[in-house]
Amino acid sequence: MSVNTYEFIVGGILPYLAVLTFVVGMAYRFKVWFKTPQPARMTLFPAPQGSTAKAVLAEALFFPSLFKGDKLLWCASWVFHATLVLVFVGHVRVFTGLADSIMLAVGMTKATIDKVSVTSGVAAGVILLASAILLLARRLAFTRVREISGVGDFVALLLLLGILVTGDLLRFGPHFDLAQTREWAWSLLSFSPVVPHNPTFLVHALLALLLVAYIPFSKVLHFGGIFFSQSALRR
C-alpha cells in the first residue's frame, strides 16, 4: 500500500523534527540551568534544611514535599508518574524487544511475558487515563489552581489525554499488530520510514511526537529542574 501525504508527514517527517526539537530544546535548558547562579535557583518543592543529594533524589522519586502540602494531589501525581515509567518500559519493549530478552534470560517464558504485558498494559492504560482526568479536573475545579494555570499547562494535559485515549483504543479496540510499530521505529533509523496505515496509531504517534517536541518548553520538564535546585532545596 502506498503512503499518503498525512501518513508520510506523521510517520516519516515529524519523528525527525520532534527529536531534533527535543534535543536542541533540552540542550538550551541545560545550558540555562548550568549558567544560572546557584543562589538564584528556585524550586516548587523546597526540602528541609541541610538537604543532601540523597534528599534531592528522594524528592524526585517520592515527592515528600508535595505529600506534606497536598496528600490527595500527591497520591494522584505519584501514581501517575510511577505508572508512566511502567508505560515507558512497555514502549521500550515494543520498539526494541530488549525487555523480552532480559526476561527470557532470567527464565520467564514467552507466554508468561505476553500475559504480564497484557495485564500490566491494561492496568497502566486505565490508571494513567484516570489520573490524567483527575489532574485536569483539579485544574478546572479549584480556583487557586486554575488561577496559576497557564495555557501551556492545559496544552500538555490535553496532549497527554489524547495520547492516553488513542493508546487505550489501540489496546482495547480492533487488533493492531505491534510488530508494525517496531518495524516503523527501526525503519526511521535507516531513514527509510515504513509507516503503519492504522489511523488510530497515526493520531497516537502525532500527539506523542508533538508532546516530545513540546517538553523542553513546558512545565513537563519540572522533574529535571529538581536536580538543579539543590541550593534552594537546602534553604
Side-chain angles (χ1 to χ4, degrees):
M1 296 176 65
S2 61
V3 177
N4 62 38
T5 303
Y6 166 69
E7 292 172 344
F8 180 68
I9 291 174
V10 173
I13 296 179
L14 190 56
Y16 301 111
L17 293 178
V19 171
L20 178 62
T21 303
F22 178 82
V23 171
V24 173
M26 288 299 296
Y28 173 75
R29 290 296 293 268
F30 276 110
K31 180 181 178 181
V32 171
W33 282 334
F34 276 116
K35 284 192 170 184
T36 301
Q38 186 78 2
R41 292 182 178 177
M42 300 300 293
T43 176
L44 295 176
F45 308 100
Q49 183 72 22
S51 292
T52 62
K54 182 178 178 181
V56 174
L57 183 61
E59 188 69 50
L61 296 178
F62 302 109
F63 319 157
S65 297
L66 181 59
F67 180 79
K68 294 176 183 178
D70 190 331
K71 290 180 173 57
L72 178 61
L73 177 59
W74 175 88
C75 183
S77 183
W78 194 89
V79 169
F80 176 81
H81 285 84
T83 308
L84 201 59
V85 172
L86 179 62
V87 169
F88 176 78
V89 172
H91 279 67
V92 170
R93 173 181 182 257
V94 170
F95 287 129
T96 68
L98 177 62
D100 284 19
S101 299
I102 294 174
M103 288 186 283
L104 288 170
V106 298
M108 293 181 67
T109 65
K110 189 177 185 305
T112 302
I113 293 172
D114 290 339
K115 185 175 181 180
V116 169
S117 174
V118 170
T119 303
S120 60
V122 168
V126 172
I127 291 172
L128 268 181
L129 184 58
S131 300
I133 291 173
L134 178 60
L135 291 173
L136 178 61
R138 176 179 175 273
R139 285 196 180 276
L140 294 172
F142 293 95
T143 303
R144 175 176 60 86
V145 180
R146 190 169 62 248
E147 288 176 346
I148 62 174
S149 298
V151 174
D153 299 310
F154 289 103
V155 168
L157 265 176
L158 291 174
L159 277 174
L160 189 57
L161 278 170
I163 293 167
L164 294 172
V165 169
T166 52
D168 284 345
L169 287 175
L170 285 170
R171 180 170 290 278
F172 299 118
H175 174 72
F176 173 67
D177 185 3
L178 289 178
Q180 295 181 51
T181 305
R182 186 173 301 175
E183 181 184 15
W184 171 63
W186 284 102
S187 71
L188 289 172
L189 297 178
S190 63
F191 298 98
S192 54
V194 179
V195 185
H197 297 284
N198 185 289
T200 304
F201 170 83
L202 290 170
V203 174
H204 183 67
L206 171 64
L207 296 175
L209 291 168
L210 289 176
L211 182 60
V212 167
Y214 183 57
I215 285 174
F217 313 100
S218 71
K219 292 180 184 177
V220 176
L221 203 58
H222 61 273
F223 178 82
I226 293 175
F227 296 97
F228 291 85
S229 306
Q230 294 187 36
S231 65
L233 284 168
R234 286 195 286 269
R235 290 178 180 178

